[in-house]
Amino acid sequence: MNLPYAESYKIKMVESIKRSTKAERLEWIKNADYNLFNLRSNQVYVDLLTDSGTGAMSDKQWSAMMLGDESYAGASSYYKLKNAVKDILGFEYFLPTHQGRAAENVLFSTLVKAGDIVPGNSHFDTTKGHIEFRKAKAIDCTIDEAFNTTIQHDFKGNINLNRLETVLQDNSADKIPFIIVTVTCNSSGGQPVSMQNMKEVYQLAQEYKIRVIFDSARFAENAYFIKQREAGYADKSIKEIVKEMFSYADGMTMSSKKDAIVNMGGFIALREEKVFKEATVYNIMFEGFISYGGMSGRDMNALAQGLDEGTEFDVLDNRIQQVAYLGTKLKEYGVPVQEPFGGHAIFVDAKRFLSHLPKEEFLAQTLGVELFIEGGIRAVEIGAILADRDPETRENRYPELELLRLAIPRRTYTNNHMDYVAAAIKNVYDRRLEIKSGLKIMEEAPIMRHFTVKLDRI
Ligand SMILES: *Cc1c(COP(=O)(O)O)cnc(C)c1O
């Protein structure tokens, strides 16, 4: 008999979670204005809101924390992290920040000005926010296959090179501070970018003398997919693949709360000394002195260890197999999900799930609310609410994909939890036609409204 798959870790510490009744959940979600961000964590049974900062650190990370150096300047923890960035990612210059969007804030303050254009593959919401906040424009050049959840394509995060070249041709280089490549591409469903595509984007960028920056939150998952799917990489280690990936970038922003498996942290890494020096000024203003940038020494130690662990094959294999386990279950139940499965999450296609309702009723959010009521599961909308209004016309933007994301925290839940989640979704799916209407917005912020939006049932 073939031995079945089993995780290559065991559990040393546990945290209790509490079941609730449907009546309680109906009350809670109403009081939360149908915004899942407003729920208290103790009202949630299985929390798949995000895989950001919600992973379980290892015994080695926890012990590294005890060795944190909290000196204001020149802490050993800073040098430990700087060395890890150099060794694992290959960048000479590095600035710690308190999380990913802080890295964007610092780097974009340095490079982006009003009227600029930043092409890329489906920009993440905070990335787009930081571009639009500076009155610059994000142009999505993702391949079309990414927007059809039924098409099988190994690298749906890829950039359409023709589309990119058109943008580079139509605009002068001084209007394009950089091209941003998000690995994996969060907004198109945690889909990877191929090595080939990274290389071609970089070559094109060099022709036009434009920088390439990687938005790198899930770079290691991207490397895992390259190893599994791209010809010539099967025998390379994740660390070798990671090194090659970043050789096609001039710099990176990182949310360490994802693939570096820490609860808080981020950084910028760069090849150009000039940009580094300019960014240093903003880092000191917004984040902290360059040797801590909003992070404590212990957190930098945990992050250095996390970068090393997060780029080990087994750690990635455990994680991505668990995500695929949930995806496979849902497929068996006939639930429409994005394929191939993403690295960090399963994305339920809300347009296909609730095909009897109009898009103006916020389908993915409606589905998210139903799933919470059904099983106390918290997922997140990646759809029209997240897409915000057009900054010029102020009209709602309805993206091609209207998804409910079930993000799986790293090393946190067991496959029994995945079974529970799949069963709850199946129940909602079976009674989907009883969902007669969706949600409407009662109150919203001018930008990044999804965090605080107040909704009501139609
Ligand atoms: C999470 C994320 C960010 C922002 O990082 P935070 O740490 O949440 O501020 C940026 N880009 C991508 C692709 C992300 O997934």
Side-chain angles (χ1 to χ4, degrees):
M1 183 175 179
N2 285 338
L3 295 179
Y5 183 79
E7 294 81 0
S8 58
Y9 59 82
K10 55 183 179 173
I11 296 165
K12 197 171 329 211
M13 188 187 280
V14 294
E15 178 183 347
S16 297
I17 49 177
K18 217 169 114 259
R19 279 179 194 274
S20 53
T21 64
K22 206 172 237 183
E24 284 174 321
R25 296 193 291 269
L26 279 165
E27 180 72 17
W28 291 336
I29 194 67
K30 183 166 180 278
N31 291 338
D33 295 304
Y34 300 96
N35 179 342
L36 296 146
F37 285 98
N38 286 339
L39 291 169
R40 292 179 182 226
S41 65
N42 63 7
Q43 296 170 332
V44 177
Y45 191 54
V46 180
D47 203 347
L48 307 183
L49 182 73
T50 177
D51 64 325
S52 179
T54 53
M57 290 208 295
S58 68
D59 51 353
K60 288 191 177 140
Q61 285 180 290
W62 279 108
S63 56
M65 288 193 75
M66 297 306 292
L67 300 174
D69 177 354
E70 307 300 345
S71 305
Y72 191 97
S76 65
S77 301
Y78 164 75
Y79 286 105
K80 203 175 264 181
L81 181 53
K82 184 173 158 53
N83 288 340
V85 169
K86 176 86 203 296
D87 291 347
I88 298 167
L89 309 171
F91 289 100
E92 197 63 46
Y93 299 102
F94 144 80
L95 286 168
T97 64
H98 79 275
Q99 63 184 91
R101 71 200 67 185
E104 290 166 353
N105 187 30
V106 169
L107 188 66
F108 296 6
S109 293
T110 315
L111 296 175
V112 181
K113 57 187 189 312
D116 279 356
I117 282 164
V118 183
N121 55 345
S122 297
H123 307 61
F124 184 65
D125 58 337
T126 61
T127 317
K128 193 180 215 157
H130 272 295
I131 292 168
E132 292 179 348
F133 179 72
R134 290 173 173 80
K135 307 248 180 304
K137 208 168 156 194
I139 297 188
D140 189 350
C141 300
T142 317
I143 57 169
D144 290 333
E145 288 88 335
F147 304 108
N148 184 332
T149 59
T150 62
I151 293 180
Q152 284 285 343
H153 186 294
D154 280 346
F155 294 100
K156 283 188 172 178
N158 278 0
I159 287 190
N160 179 325
L161 293 160
N162 292 332
R163 204 168 286 163
L164 176 64
E165 183 147 30
T166 307
V167 175
L168 303 189
Q169 271 166 358
D170 291 352
N171 299 280
S172 64
D174 66 326
K175 285 260 175 268
I176 308 176
F178 50 84
I179 297 162
I180 193 145
V181 184
T182 310
V183 290
T184 58
C185 192
N186 192 344
S187 308
S188 75
Q191 298 291 323
V193 180
S194 71
M195 192 71 90
Q196 177 75 20
N197 193 249
M198 289 180 209
K199 194 175 185 170
E200 286 170 350
V201 167
Y202 193 59
Q203 281 166 353
L204 194 62
Q206 289 202 311
E207 264 175 55
Y208 286 85
K209 299 198 170 17
I210 291 166
R211 271 179 215 97
V212 175
I213 301 290
F214 282 3
D215 181 359
S216 318
R218 298 183 185 81
F219 71 95
E221 290 173 9
N222 202 105
Y224 175 92
F225 285 121
I226 289 173
K227 183 177 167 74
Q228 304 295 63
R229 297 179 184 171
E230 195 162 350
Y233 291 93
D235 296 329
K236 289 204 163 41
S237 71
I238 297 293
K239 285 193 166 65
E240 285 168 331
I241 296 171
V242 164
K243 264 280 173 60
E244 185 183 341
M245 281 169 55
F246 285 107
S247 74
Y248 305 127
D250 300 294
M252 64 181 284
T253 54
M254 176 72 186
S255 168
S256 308
K257 304 166 70 171
K258 321 290 178 36
D259 276 0
I261 329 180
V262 290
N263 302 120
M264 191 53 71
F267 58 86
I268 299 167
L270 294 161
R271 250 177 259 296
E272 294 164 272
E273 190 183 12
K274 183 171 172 287
V275 180
F276 166 75
K277 279 190 173 159
E278 285 170 25
T280 297
V281 177
Y282 292 105
N283 214 65
I284 293 171
M285 272 203 299
F286 297 149
E287 293 296 296
F289 184 58
I290 55 167
S291 67
Y292 70 89
M295 295 184 75
S296 49
R298 53 183 169 272
D299 287 338
M300 289 192 282
N301 267 15
L303 171 52
Q305 173 64 27
L307 276 176
D308 187 32
E309 279 175 27
T311 48
E312 284 298 308
F313 178 79
D314 275 355
V315 171
L316 289 159
D317 197 38
N318 292 167
R319 161 169 188 62
I320 291 172
Q321 292 228 32
Q322 184 173 53
V323 173
Y325 177 86
L326 174 62
T328 306
K329 270 259 141 91
L330 290 176
K331 250 185 93 172
E332 277 167 26
Y333 295 153
V335 176
V337 290
Q338 151 106 305
E339 287 185 79
F341 305 138
H344 66 293
I346 294 298
F347 294 74
V348 180
D349 188 333
K351 269 193 201 164
R352 284 197 280 146
F353 197 113
L354 295 174
S355 57
H356 60 291
L357 297 182
K359 66 176 190 303
E360 288 78 10
E361 296 186 7
F362 302 112
L363 305 181
Q365 185 70 19
T366 300
L367 183 54
V369 166
E370 290 298 330
L371 182 58
F372 175 72
I373 294 167
E374 181 66 32
I377 297 155
R378 175 157 65 173
V380 76
E381 189 246 26
I382 307 277
I385 297 179
L386 179 71
D388 270 328
R389 289 174 189 275
D390 184 289
E392 277 153 30
T393 67
R394 300 307 299 159
E395 290 296 319
N396 274 319
R397 290 190 277 212
Y398 295 99
E400 286 184 64
L401 290 179
E402 180 73 29
L403 303 169
L404 182 70
R405 184 183 78 176
L406 308 160
I408 314 298
R410 293 163 184 78
R411 311 189 281 210
T412 303
Y413 292 111
T414 67
N415 283 2
N416 284 334
H417 293 108
M418 300 301 117
D419 290 340
Y420 176 91
V421 170
I425 295 174
K426 180 185 188 303
N427 289 348
V428 178
Y429 192 59
D430 290 347
R431 64 170 169 81
R432 64 191 181 279
L433 294 178
E434 291 161 31
I435 303 168
K436 297 280 185 236
S437 59
L439 297 162
K440 60 182 179 206
I441 291 182
M442 307 302 286
E443 212 182 293
E444 64 182 284
I447 199 163
M448 288 192 236
R449 64 182 180 183
H450 58 289
F451 290 121
T452 52
V453 67
K454 290 186 178 176
L455 299 146
D456 204 355
R457 288 191 142 145
I458 293 174

